[in-house]
Each structure stands twice: as C-alpha cells, then as structure tokens.
Amino acid sequence: MNWLSMVANRLIWFVPTLLGLLAIVFTLSRVVPIDPAFLAAGENASVEQVQKVRERFGFDKPLPVQFLNYVRDVAQGNFGVSMFTQQPIVNDLATRLPATLELTLVAVLIAALIGIPLGVLCGLHRNSWLDHVLRVVTVSGLAVASFWFAMQLQFLFSMKLGWLPLSGRMEGFPPEPVTGLMVVDALIAGDGEALASALRHMILPAVTLALPAAATVVRFTRNGVIGVINSPSVAYQTAMGFPRRVIIWKYVLRMALTATVTQLGLIFGILLAGAVVVETVFDWPGLGAYAVRSILQSDYNAVMGFTLCTGALFVFINLLVDMLQAAIDPRGAA
Amino acid sequence: MSALLDISKLSLAFRTEKGPARVLDMIDLAVKPGEIVGLVGESGCGKTTLARAILGTLPEGLTEIGSGHIRLDGVDMLRGGKAAESIRGRVVTFVPQDPFASFNPLFRIGTQIADLMRWKAPRPEGRRWGGHRRADEDAAIAMLDAVQLPQPRAILAKYPHELSGGQRQRVMIAMALLPQPQLIIADEPTTALDVTVQAQILGLLRRLAVERGVSVLFTTHDLGAAWEICDRVVVMYAGQTAEIAPREAFFANPRHPYTRMLLDSLPEPGRDPVGIPGGVPSPLTPPGGCRFNPRCPRVTEICRETRPALAEHEGGHLVACHHPVTADAEALYV
Amino acid sequence: MDLVKRFARDKAALLGATLLGLLIIAAIFAPWLAPYPNDVFDFHIERRLLAPAPEALMGTDRMGSDIFSRLLFGARITLMLAGIAVGSALLIGVPIGLIAGYYQSWFSDALMRVAEIFLAVPQIVLAIAIAQTLGPSIQNVILALSLTYWPFWARLVYAETRSMRNEVFVESAVALGASPWRVIVLHILPNIASPIIVRTSIGMGATILTAATLGFLGLGAPPPTPEWGRMIAESREYLPEAWWYALAPGIAIFLTVLGFNLFGDGLRDILDPRTRRSV
C-alpha cells in the first residue's frame, strides 16, 4: 500500500475514533450511581443549589441529548468547565500539556541514547556476557512496578542521600513561560538557577519513565540487528570485502533503526501510560497527574477532556510514526 | 599454467545439535586464470558451502575445518586473516544467488556501488583516499553500460526495489567486475530469475569474463546452464568430488555413474528421462567409502569400504570411481 | 518430550517457571505458610511499624500486622485477579478476532474499529476510569481490566486469522465444503494457539502490573485487603523511617511479573518458531 493512502486512511478514521472514545467515556461517566450535580455543588449545598447546578451543566436532559451537546461543544473547542478547578478544561489541559511533553521527551531521549547503542552491541555480540547481563536488565526493567521504583528512587536519592528533590517541577520562581518547557524557558531567560532546579527535578521522574521504554528499545534494536546481521545483504557485503565497521555502523544500523521506528507508537504508549503513574508519585504538574486527580474526584468533564486529548495525541503520534517510517524506508510502509 | 584458485583436500563440518555435519569431504578443485569452471550438483551437495568457504561467509563458530587449504593467488583464504580480507572484493568478487535480498534495501544503488569502489576499486599506489568520486562514478556508469543496463545514471539514483530481478543481477555482475578481479564466484546466479532472463544473464557473464580474462567459478544445479558457459565442469556429490572434465568430454563421455545418471535424468527427444532412485545421504551419517554407493547400480564391496581416489583417465578427465563407466553406454547396469 | 527438554535447557525460562511455581504454592498454602494467618484482618497497635526481625521476617505495617503473612495472602488475590481478568479478556477477544478475521465484511471492520478505539488510549487510563466509576472492589477491578484488555486479543487474533485465511490448507478445507465453524475450530484455532498461549503468559505479567497500579491509586479492593499495590501505597507516608514497608510487596510484584515474562519468553522460543530467539 502506498504510504499516502495509509496516512489518508488514518486521517479518515481520526474523527470516528475520537467520537467512539468520547462515547465510551461519556457512557461510563453517566452510569455512576452518584449524581454528578451533588458532587459539583458541594457537600453543604441546598436542594435548590443542586438543581441550579444540574440545569447549568445540562444534567437534567436525556443522555443522548447531553452527549450531542457535549460533542457540539467539543467541536467548538469547548470542553466544559472543571468542577474543581473551576477553570475551562481547555485551559487546564493547555497548562499541563507542556509539563508532560517535557518529561516524555526527556525520557525518549534517555531511552534512545541508552537503548540504541546497547541494543546494537547486544545484537553484535549475541550470547556474550554483555548480552546476558542486559537481557536480565531489560526483562527486569519491564517487570518493575514504576510507582514502586519511583518510591525507591525517592527514598534513596531524596530522603536518604538528599541529592535530588523529592517531587515537583521547580523551586522558587519559574522562568517566564515561553514554550512551557521549563528547561527551554530557563535557557531562554538565561536563568542558570532555574535551569539547574528544573534539571534536578527532572532526573528521577524521567529515569523512572525511561526505564521500561529503554528496555523496549534495547530489545527491539538487538533483535533488529540480529535479523539484519544474518541477512543475505550482509553476507554479500562481507564476501565483497566491505570493511566490517562500514557494514555495521552504516548498513546494519540503518536497517535495525527502521525496525525500531515501527515500534515507536508502542513505546509512546508505554510512556503515556507511565506518565499517569510517575506524575502522580512525583507530583509532576502534567496531564497524567491531572487525569488521576480528576478521576478520583469524579470530575467528568476533565476526564473526558483528558481522554480526548490523549487519544488525539496517540493517533497523531502514530501518524507521525507512519510518515517517519515512509521517509526512512524507501520501500514505503508495507 | 599454475592454478589461480587451488583447493586441496578440503574437509569441513558444521556443528549441529545432532553432531557434526560433514558437508565437504576431501574436496580437490583448481581454477586456472581465464577459465570458467562449472560446479555442478544437486542441492545440498556442498557447492554453496564451498563458495562461502572461499568468500569467508561461513557461519562463525559453527564451522569446523577438518583438513586441507584454499589458496587464491597464493593467499590462504581459510586462515588468512587480514590478507584474505583484503583480497576479497579485489582479487575475488561475488555474484550472489538472490539479487533481491543481497542489496541493502534502504540505500540507493549508487551508494552501495560507491562504497564498494571506495574500499575495493583499484587505485594507483599512494592515492587511496579522496579525489576519486568523479572517476568512480564514471567507471560505475561505464560498467553499468557494459552490462547493458539502459540509462545507467538513472539506475545509480534508484533503490534496489525499483529494479527488476534481471536488472539487479546485471548490477551485481557490474559490481563484481568493477574492482577488476581475477576470479568471480557466481553462486547459482540465475536460479532466482525468470527462465527468459537466465540465458541473457549467462551469456553476458561469459562474454564479459572472456573479454576481460577473468576466471569464473560458477555453481549450478542446472546442467543446461553449465553447457552454456563453462570450459570445464566439476561434479560434486554429497560433499565429495565425483568427476572433473572438460565440457565436451563431460557431456559426451561421462565416466562417473552419478554423472551418467544425472545426464540421463534430463529430458531429451526420443528418450524418456530416467530418475535417480534414492536421495542424497544426510551429512550427519554419510555412508562409508564412496558416498554414492547406496544409490549406485555398479556398487560392489570395495565401494562401501574404500573411498576411490580422483584418477586421471585421459586429457584432463578425472574420475573418482572404482568402476567407471566405459564408452559403451549399455554397460552402466552390470 | 522434545519441547519440554528444549524448555528445560533455557535457564531463564526455568527461572520463570520456578518463580511461578513458588507463587502458586504461596497462594494455595498461604493459611499454613503464614506465621500470623489472622493478620490479614487483625491489627495490633502495640506492634506497629516494627523493622524486620525473627518474629516478623519482613517487618510489620501501620496496623501492626505481619507483612510477610499479608504478602502470602496477597499472592492469592494477585493470581485470582489477573487470572480471571485475562481469562475473560480472552473469552471476549478471541472469538471476536476469529469471527472478524474469518468473515471479511463491514461487520468485522466495525468490530475491529471498536477494538481500535479502546486501543487509542493507554489501557491504564480507561481502566482507572472504569474502576473509579464502578467503585472500589476486587470484582470491579477485574471488570475494568477485562473490559479494557479484550481489544488487544481481538486485534492479535484478527491479524493471525486473516493470515491463516489465505493458507492453502484453509482454502482447501473451505473448498471441500467444511462449515465455517469447523474450519475455525479445527483448522485455524490450533494454528494460532501458539502466539495466544505465549502472550497469555506475558499478558498475565502486564495485567498484574496494571492491577497493582490501580491498587496503588486506591482503586482496588478496600482495606484491609492485602493487595500488593495498596500495601505499597499505604507505606508512602511512613517513608523514610519504615523502609521495609514497601520493599517486600514491591519485590513480590517484580518477581511475579518477571516469572510470567520469562516463562512467556521461554514458551515463545519453543512454540513460535517465527519469532524464536535463535541460539
């Protein structure tokens, strides 16, 4: 299949997928035995106040009507108001998205910088001691509960050694927000203190988040290299006397990376799911922590906004991965 | 004239879970300068293993060399280390069986040719580096022209999947000729191609080799192909050399019962093809003596006990058989 | 048996099998193995937050209960929860995948679209949402996990079935007049069983992690259920003093998931030649 038609196919299904996602979350939010209006109005609200809230949020209308109203609002960029922050959801999401993006990007960077070279080495020296050690490490990295790992890091590096901050994103005043990414903003502002603080806050959550992703990258890269190293094209180049280093670091690496890129969607899934937990443990003011808090507080508009945002992000990332793959593999997305 | 390629008493085994597989057993073979030698045998007879032994692409760690040597231009190709490595791609080049898988799919044809030239093209002494790009490209284009590829410049910019099988094999032949080698090893170069293309490729290979005085070691299971292009034919059976003969003598007057039966198995007008009963023995448990003895109509006790030596009969016609077939065709079945 | 021998030679797979064996023994014999079997419900304020000692191997928790005893009972909950959740996800997902893969129609397309909608957000997010909506209990955690996990199986089985659909032996069975039911059950299912079995083991590991995460966020069974994720959550406010509190349940989760993953990898090597790690 032509990669253009593949992209088109994804775009066509973008809206129905998001609608379906909304329908699922909406249904969920309305089968609860608790009256959302009660929650929104607060514990000490009178009957009249509750009724007012009910009318204001449209909870008195039939469910299909509520859903259609909601879809119409969303289409106009209005996700409703959070019952707890009393802010438009769009604002809440917009202020928290950069924090999650920053954390995720740093984690991807760590995972790639560590995972790719190690994966190549393991693939080249299959069944060496390095391969065996890293196999244990990667299998373990995928078996650790990230919230527990995060707590152990906090215990060791913050509580016992005092080297790194326990939680949060910044001490003192944050730099002037330009991109929303603290590290970048601190660089723009030329604020060395803020930069150091941002980086120090970043280390533990980013490492926690990167651990399973790095393990996945190592495994895919390793298996990619092994698959290529035994291929006829490498046998041909060896027979023709190409230098070993040219074969490995030019031809094999490119092939192995193509195999890893096809799994980028999966890796982002791991990161997005990880962010939900890691942000909660480290009090990182991103989307994940926002989602958990909204869910625990039955803040339905916020939950739906978050789900929609994540779904859109995910579909978008998969689209990017497809295009990236088409760009680096001349055979096209097969 | 002394031999360019000299293989003597080569025995080789692969380590397998069920014990050593003795795929080559005391092989003798010589290729003279400018000579085209056909290595003929059923699949599994060891001809590809022999080619890979010369080219240094046997599976590392799984191969055991029992005895013998391979010398190419005086260099030991089995234990030659750096010397053998530098000869590969320069003195001896390779045309692979599968032109589809032998290119790296992610790089342009031009890039793969350029890398070959960069490391293997003949250079004036003292000028190994730099200043060759233009000359290399011109040489590549001239060679693509010589293998009768239209629009050679456009081909350099293409990816392997954009070429047909026949075109790819022409590029492979061009790449084999570019370093100006003394020997080309062509391992079943037409097996993966359409029948109509096969004859063209064989003709091209023969013409270019003869024009340039390059020797060719050509493995095939197709006797017709051997007839087309070879000066001399070597028949292998189950890892042993059965018969070596000049082309005319080989087809007119085969001496080894196996060769005889192989020729009888070809369809020919006025005669029904006769199959060879039984199958190739497993290299894990090869029969003693002559490995053909379980299938041979002329078998006697000595065939099971003693391996027949390769003995010269007349004008370069060598046969390894205790009871060679005489000119009288009816004498095959005693 | 050749397969058993090959499996036994793989040290990592053997370690996985051993870990799973220990887990199952712990789950079955928890009441006999636990030094204080009543500590699942009992509390002893006078013994709270004691460091590991001979009388409490892994220390005691905030209620003074023996963490080791609670851990053993937690193995029961973990195994049962993940087993039922993965089992029901399989029961929903596999038939859907088979039918959608066998019959190429708008209906199968629609089914797979629904599955993809579920797969568009991380499982944990939907699972948290469902578990919160239904209220904290083990049954609801199981329900949340199965409802969010079936699409994975549907997609896997769908892809495998579609590739099988074009195999010669399937086409010839159809040509010979075999009923679709017969083709699916007798020809397709046995041939796609290997990847399903392999992924069931790895899926158990993933599900245990997700379930523990739900417990950690307070969405699992209510206290005093000895659920591992919840035990770790409880320990947070007693750090850094009670360092042992989270240690044991965390390691228990790790070893359990590790066991399922290694076991699954080992199974893959002997059952699924296409993805086999070569020697």
Side-chain angles (χ1 to χ4, degrees), chain C residues 201-221:
Chain C
S201 183
I202 295 170
M204 282 289 288
T207 303
I208 288 170
L209 275 183
T210 313
T213 306
L214 292 182
F216 176 77
L217 295 174
L219 292 165

Side-chain angles (χ1 to χ4, degrees), chain B residues 14-198:
Chain B
F14 292 134
R15 275 186 273 271
T16 72
E17 281 183 19
K18 295 171 184 148
R22 287 179 277 272
V23 284
L24 294 182
D25 182 23
M26 304 292 269
I27 292 285
D28 288 311
L29 177 72
V31 178
K32 297 192 220 59
E35 186 184 34
I36 299 181
V37 175
L39 193 58
V40 176
E42 293 167 85
S43 18
C45 75
K47 45 186 198 301
T48 295
T49 304
L50 190 58
R52 293 178 69 182
I54 303 166
L55 293 165
T57 54
L58 290 170
E60 242 170 276
L62 295 176
T63 314
E64 269 174 58
I65 293 154
S67 68
H69 66 250
I70 299 176
R71 285 216 183 85
L72 179 65
D73 205 22
V75 176
D76 183 345
M77 300 304 282
L78 283 177
R79 306 170 192 86
K82 285 269 170 227
E85 209 169 283
S86 100
I87 271 193
R88 287 189 188 109
R90 202 165 282 151
V91 177
V92 55
T93 58
F94 178 47
V95 178
Q97 174 169 0
D98 184 352
F100 294 87
S102 295
F103 280 110
N104 186 308
L106 303 184
F107 291 84
R108 295 175 197 280
I109 301 279
T111 311
Q112 306 195 37
I113 294 183
D115 268 333
L116 171 71
M117 306 272 292
R118 166 141 191 229
W119 304 104
K120 294 297 170 184
R123 304 269 194 240
E125 275 312 305
R127 283 204 59 199
R128 292 265 344 259
W129 305 99
H132 293 298
R133 288 192 54 142
R134 207 49 269 155
D136 282 356
E137 199 181 321
D138 290 344
I141 285 171
M143 192 58 80
L144 291 180
D145 197 48
V147 296
Q148 297 168 350
L149 280 166
Q151 295 178 310
R153 195 173 289 278
I155 294 220
L156 288 181
K158 285 190 173 175
Y159 286 99
H161 73 277
E162 296 172 304
L163 301 184
S164 73
Q167 286 175 319
R168 266 182 264 190
Q169 201 59 303
R170 284 172 196 271
V171 176
M172 283 291 178
I173 291 174
M175 287 175 77
L177 288 165
L178 270 170
Q180 300 177 11
Q182 298 177 41
L183 172 68
I184 295 175
I185 293 179
D187 185 18
E188 305 243 13
T190 56
T191 311
L193 303 179
D194 288 345
V195 185
T196 47
V197 183
Q198 289 184 3

Side-chain angles (χ1 to χ4, degrees), chain C residues 141-157:
Chain C
V141 169
I142 293 174
L143 199 59
L145 291 174
S146 348
L147 281 179
T148 51
Y149 200 29
W150 71 266
F152 171 83
W153 298 103
R155 191 173 56 174
L156 171 76
V157 171

Side-chain angles (χ1 to χ4, degrees), chain A:
Chain A
M1 182 156 59
N2 182 325
W3 73 275
L4 257 179
S5 68
M6 189 138 176
V7 169
N9 190 40
R10 280 209 188 271
L11 283 178
I12 289 168
W13 281 102
F14 186 67
V15 172
T17 303
L18 290 188
L19 272 180
L21 210 52
L22 268 188
I24 292 170
V25 181
F26 185 86
T27 314
L28 269 177
S29 70
R30 300 303 145 102
V31 296
V32 252
I34 319 159
D35 184 343
F38 265 114
L39 283 173
E43 267 175 48
N44 303 319
S46 63
V47 180
E48 290 80 38
Q49 281 171 312
V50 171
Q51 187 56 37
K52 247 192 203 151
V53 168
R54 189 170 285 141
E55 279 162 22
R56 198 177 124 217
F57 286 115
F59 292 144
D60 52 343
K61 305 224 171 61
L63 280 184
V65 177
Q66 287 188 36
F67 182 64
L68 286 180
N69 285 342
Y70 183 71
V71 170
R72 190 197 58 217
D73 288 348
V74 166
Q76 291 164 351
N78 175 13
F79 287 54
V81 173
S82 162
M83 294 178 192
F84 285 85
T85 63
Q86 298 297 330
Q87 292 285 316
I89 308 264
V90 177
N91 293 5
D92 277 356
L93 294 176
T95 54
R96 282 165 175 83
L97 181 66
T100 297
L101 274 186
E102 185 174 32
L103 187 61
T104 314
L105 285 176
V106 172
V108 167
L109 220 60
I110 295 176
L113 288 181
I114 293 178
I116 291 172
L118 286 182
V120 171
L121 283 178
C122 285
L124 291 181
H125 306 286
R126 192 157 47 139
N127 294 332
S128 65
W129 64 269
L130 178 79
D131 189 23
H132 287 303
V133 167
L134 274 176
R135 184 176 168 206
V136 173
V137 173
T138 53
V139 175
S140 304
L142 290 169
V144 172
S146 57
F147 56 88
W148 180 76
F149 187 67
M151 280 172 59
Q152 298 303 318
L153 288 182
Q154 282 179 324
F155 172 73
L156 185 62
F157 291 101
S158 306
M159 296 172 178
K160 281 285 161 190
L161 299 172
W163 291 352
L164 294 167
L166 186 65
S167 61
R169 206 180 165 200
M170 174 64 69
E171 268 148 16
F173 291 104
E176 184 73 22
V178 182
T179 59
L181 311 177
M182 283 285 179
V183 174
V184 180
D185 286 350
L187 278 175
I188 293 174
D191 186 344
E193 212 170 298
L195 179 66
S197 176
L199 286 176
R200 277 160 48 79
H201 280 83
M202 180 82 78
I203 294 175
L204 292 186
V207 165
T208 313
L209 196 55
L211 179 74
T216 312
V217 172
V218 169
R219 294 188 90 174
F220 281 127
T221 311
R222 173 191 183 271
N223 294 344
V225 166
I226 287 173
V228 181
I229 208 93
N230 293 319
S231 71
S233 75
V234 170
Y236 172 74
Q237 292 182 329
T238 308
M240 289 295 270
F242 280 56
R244 189 78 181 152
R245 61 179 186 284
V246 176
I247 299 181
I248 304 284
W249 296 106
K250 182 168 181 178
Y251 289 91
V252 172
L253 185 63
R254 175 82 175 268
M255 295 268 277
L257 285 187
T258 315
T260 306
V261 164
T262 59
Q263 303 298 335
L264 267 181
L266 177 84
I267 290 168
F268 269 104
I270 293 174
L271 288 172
L272 225 47
V276 171
V277 177
V278 171
E279 287 182 2
T280 305
V281 178
F282 286 103
D283 249 334
W284 188 266
L287 284 180
Y290 179 72
V292 171
R293 210 206 51 207
S294 308
I295 290 170
L296 295 181
Q297 293 173 336
S298 304
D299 191 348
Y300 296 112
N301 280 342
V303 175
M304 284 195 280
F306 166 78
T307 312
L308 199 63
C309 186
T310 315
L313 202 65
F314 212 52
V315 175
F316 179 67
I317 285 169
N318 277 319
L319 187 69
L320 275 186
V321 170
D322 283 350
M323 286 163 68
L324 182 62
Q325 205 192 337
I328 64 172
D329 189 340
R331 290 166 297 182

